[in-house]
């Protein structure tokens, strides 16, 4: 019992600390709000023009900052789309980094895109199986069916953890091999370079928090299903 509780506490901390740090870093460099002459959206479009990627569009979104390789679009939150802060321009450059990966055929990005499709389906099926365990028992009247159904359900949820972990190398590549050199090519104030690196690191580590949250969800279900 105690080792399981300790494990749960470790997972809970691992899920919360990276997320808090990411929000702190992003928030810290949102001021001053007029640090740069270009907004995040303007910088992204300027980079795409220079990189000869005119087919990639930039739009404001409520779904978080991301690059959609299927639609060839960069989505920026309102504060990063309209903002002129260091956070806004750095996050915009990070998403342009993903567009560059897509354009050059960076395989880990394409692997992640394919994995997200089946992982999303797997998580939905897994959640459905776990939530439907009482119904499965009522209909089948066979407790023996509960164990394989529960195992499949937990495995479905666990696909989310795998996707987030596979995503990490792609995020660090977009941050430090793509975005940082672009920003250093005349876009950043020299004194902002170390701060931009922190923001890019935070952008990549967002998926560490997401992976930890997925792992916590799996652990909670395992605890709930434990005899």
């Amino acid at each position: 019992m105690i080792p399981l509780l300790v494990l749960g506490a470790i997972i809970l901390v691992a899920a919360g600390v990276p997320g808090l740090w990411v929000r702190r870093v992003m928030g810290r460099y949102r001021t001053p709000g007029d640090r740069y002459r270009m907004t995040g959206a303007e910088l992204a479009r300027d980079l795409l023009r220079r990189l000869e990627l005119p087919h990639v569009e930039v739009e404001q979104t409520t779904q978080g900052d991301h690059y959609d390789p299927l639609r060839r679009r960069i989505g920026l939150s309102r504060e990063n789309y309209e903002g002129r802060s260091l956070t806004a321009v750095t996050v915009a450059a990070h998403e342009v980094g993903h567009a560059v990966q897509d354009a050059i055929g960076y395989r880990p990005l394409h692997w992640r895109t394919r994995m997200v499709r089946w992982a999303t389906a797997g998580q939905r099926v897994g959640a459905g199986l776990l939530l439907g365990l009482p119904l499965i028992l009522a209909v089948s009247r066979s407790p023996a069916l509960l164990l394989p159904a529960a195992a499949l359900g937990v495995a479905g949820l666990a696909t989310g953890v795998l996707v987030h972990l596979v995503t990490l190398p792609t995020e660090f590549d977009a941050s430090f091999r793509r975005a940082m050199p672009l920003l250093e090519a005349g876009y950043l104030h020299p004194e902002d370079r170390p701060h931009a690196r922190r923001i890019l690191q935070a952008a990549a580590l967002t998926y560490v928090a997401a992976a930890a949250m997925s792992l916590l969800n799996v652990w909670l279900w395992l605890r709930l299903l434990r005899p």
Side-chain angles (χ1 to χ4, degrees):
M1 175 66 73
I2 293 178
L4 286 175
L5 291 177
V6 171
L7 176 62
I10 292 173
I11 295 174
L12 184 59
V13 171
V17 171
L20 290 173
W21 184 79
V22 168
R23 287 192 292 272
R24 180 176 176 274
V25 170
M26 295 294 186
R28 177 178 179 182
Y29 298 109
R30 289 198 192 284
T31 55
D34 58 350
R35 178 72 172 164
Y36 286 88
R37 61 180 180 83
M38 286 192 292
T39 65
E42 290 168 345
L43 180 134
R45 292 189 180 106
D46 193 58
L47 286 174
L48 292 169
R49 177 186 58 78
R50 288 181 51 193
L51 294 165
E52 299 182 353
L53 298 174
H55 59 284
V56 178
E57 298 182 11
V58 182
E59 63 182 10
Q60 185 174 320
T61 181
T62 58
Q63 299 177 354
D65 305 294
H66 66 280
Y67 172 69
D68 184 343
L70 301 179
R71 298 170 62 210
R72 300 293 194 274
R73 292 188 180 182
I74 290 173
L76 296 175
S77 61
R78 183 183 61 81
E79 52 211 359
N80 291 331
Y81 186 92
E82 300 176 350
R84 300 174 187 272
S85 66
L86 177 59
T87 293
V89 298
T90 304
V91 170
H94 173 84
E95 301 308 334
V96 171
H98 284 308
V100 173
Q101 291 174 333
D102 191 17
I104 65 174
Y106 183 69
R107 290 186 178 181
L109 177 68
H110 296 161
W111 294 338
R112 182 185 74 172
T113 302
R114 288 194 289 267
M115 287 181 67
V116 165
R117 295 179 186 175
W118 61 259
T120 300
Q123 287 180 296
R124 289 175 180 172
V125 171
L129 282 172
L130 292 172
L131 293 174
L133 288 178
L135 180 61
I136 293 173
L137 179 60
V139 172
S140 67
R141 297 183 180 180
S142 173
L145 289 178
L146 292 182
L147 182 58
L152 286 173
V154 172
L157 292 183
T159 58
V161 180
L162 178 61
V163 169
H164 292 313
L165 291 177
V166 170
T167 294
L168 280 176
T170 303
E171 292 298 315
F172 277 102
D173 181 90
S175 281
F176 298 108
R177 289 191 62 192
R178 318 295 174 185
M180 196 64 202
L182 292 173
L183 287 169
E184 289 177 332
Y187 288 94
L188 281 181
H189 301 317
E191 63 271 23
D192 282 346
R193 289 181 181 179
H195 307 308
R197 287 186 174 275
R198 291 191 69 196
I199 295 170
L200 289 171
Q201 185 178 26
L205 290 180
T206 298
Y207 289 87
V208 172
M213 288 302 297
S214 296
L215 183 59
L216 177 62
N217 190 30
V218 170
W219 179 81
L220 289 174
W221 272 107
L222 289 174
R223 288 288 300 144
L224 183 64
L225 296 171
R226 186 169 177 265

